[in-house]
Amino acid sequence: MRVAILQHVPFEGIGRIAQWLDLRSAQVRVHYLHAGCPLPELDAFELLIVMGGPMSVHDEAVVPWLAGEKALIRAALVAEKRVLGICLGAQLLAEALGAQVRTGQVEIGWWPMEKHALAEHSPLGRMLPQRLMAMHWHGETFDLPAGSIPLYGSAACANQGFVWKERAIGLQCHLESTPESIHELLEACPDDLALSGSVESAAAIRDGFPHCSALAPTLFRLLDYLTGPHAVLT
């Protein structure tokens, strides 16, 4: 399996996804868009992973690579590639599918998510746990794309995840988090913790580090499904 990863800033990498990729002996190339790395060609990957970042999907005027990235995501969907979007990546995926991305309630830290009742309409949704304590770090949200099935919601954010045609998944939350990846966020974005909303302190976020290992089985199950036979479009 060939995997292309789009990374937007140095401090939001793939976290525990790296372990899953190693276990599957995937051929991986990370495209560091913030450093001027070019976007991948469409025929260079079977799985596209789009990571998070502090910019908005609406920042095309100030983020030079954003328009091309959006075009690549749309082309990947048309070509029936598998796509996973995380945080900003989920917002980009939702927009590519025609949904609106807008300002939402700031949600930073460890907050519980509940599986959406409609998740049972997807084979993936039926595999996922009813509740998750997940890591969040976002201030924008997206409407549910047409034709998609909602997976999770939280008190501050109704749309925490969706699956579209069983081959594209958007996650507003960070199931890939590790203590190391969260430490990078805390170091890079300390001012975010002063924002109003559902925001935990740095100490409370660090106290939640043990939750990271509990998220791994769900992350791996989701990735196995997305790249496996259940995701074949019929």
Side-chain angles (χ1 to χ4, degrees), residues 101-107 138-142 156-157 196:
V101 178
R102 51 190 165 74
T103 301
Q105 182 176 330
V106 176
E107 188 177 31
H138 66 97
E140 292 194 321
T141 186
F142 50 80
C157 182
S196 60

Side-chain angles (χ1 to χ4, degrees), residues 186-221:
L186 289 170
E187 288 290 305
C189 306
D191 293 345
D192 288 0
L193 302 184
L195 297 171
S196 60
S198 299
V199 181
E200 288 191 315
S201 67
I205 290 172
R206 292 190 182 97
D207 286 345
F209 281 175
H211 294 308
C212 292
S213 58
L215 291 174
T218 298
L219 173 69
F220 284 21
R221 182 176 297 173

Side-chain angles (χ1 to χ4, degrees), residues 43-60:
D43 61 359
F45 61 86
E46 285 79 47
L47 171 63
L48 179 66
I49 301 177
V50 188
M51 298 307 301
M55 62 285 297
S56 169
V57 300
H58 306 299
D59 285 346
E60 287 187 32

Side-chain angles (χ1 to χ4, degrees), residues 148-165:
S148 64
I149 296 173
L151 296 176
Y152 283 101
S154 66
C157 182
N159 292 324
Q160 284 285 354
F162 66 88
V163 56
W164 180 80
K165 296 188 183 297

Side-chain angles (χ1 to χ4, degrees), residues 15-31:
R16 199 176 298 276
I17 295 173
Q19 182 183 359
W20 181 85
L21 292 168
D22 287 343
L23 290 170
R24 274 73 184 170
S25 301
Q27 301 176 39
V28 181
R29 181 173 180 186
V30 182
H31 298 260

